[in-house]
Amino acid sequence: MSSAGVGPLCFIKSRVNPAIYQEILEHFMLPSADKLYGDAEFIFQQDLTSADTTKSTKTWFNDHGITMLDWPANSPDPKGHCQEKDEGHETEQCSRAEGCY
């Protein structure tokens, strides 16, 4: 799901390990992103499960030139890490790069 629309739904019948996750990315996410964004840049967000954070998965994203959202582990709120602790407002970098509200 994205601001540009939704992609196909992928039902998984097994546990997801890094190899399966990368296969899903290859066969579902990449074609969907190409259809939704074409050559435009986009930022991909994960929930940081173990399959998301392995070295091989990080390499897969780097090899495919996909920018990842900098998402702190165990963060329930994507805006939570975008707030300045001292002043309670968004940083310029955060609001520009991560689209905080």
Side-chain angles (χ1 to χ4, degrees), residues 2-22:
S2 76
S3 62
V6 297
L9 184 60
C10 174
F11 291 96
I12 305 161
K13 297 180 181 181
S14 66
R15 296 188 98 176
V16 177
N17 61 34
I20 290 172
Y21 182 57
Q22 292 165 33

Side-chain angles (χ1 to χ4, degrees), residues 67-80:
T67 302
M68 303 295 300
L69 178 67
D70 185 21
W71 182 264
N74 301 317
S75 176
D77 182 359
K79 297 187 299 182

Side-chain angles (χ1 to χ4, degrees), residues 41-52:
E41 294 279 324
F42 66 92
I43 298 174
F44 191 79
Q45 178 181 349
Q46 306 183 92
D47 60 4
L48 300 180
T49 63
S50 59
D52 298 351

Side-chain angles (χ1 to χ4, degrees), residues 28-69:
F28 289 90
M29 190 279 287
L30 283 181
S32 179
D34 187 48
K35 182 178 179 182
L36 293 170
Y37 297 102
D39 293 332
E41 294 279 324
F42 66 92
I43 298 174
F44 191 79
Q45 178 181 349
Q46 306 183 92
D47 60 4
L48 300 180
T49 63
S50 59
D52 298 351
T53 58
T54 63
K55 185 175 181 179
S56 65
T57 299
K58 290 176 184 178
T59 300
W60 187 94
F61 279 102
N62 285 335
D63 290 349
H64 288 82
I66 297 171
T67 302
M68 303 295 300
L69 178 67

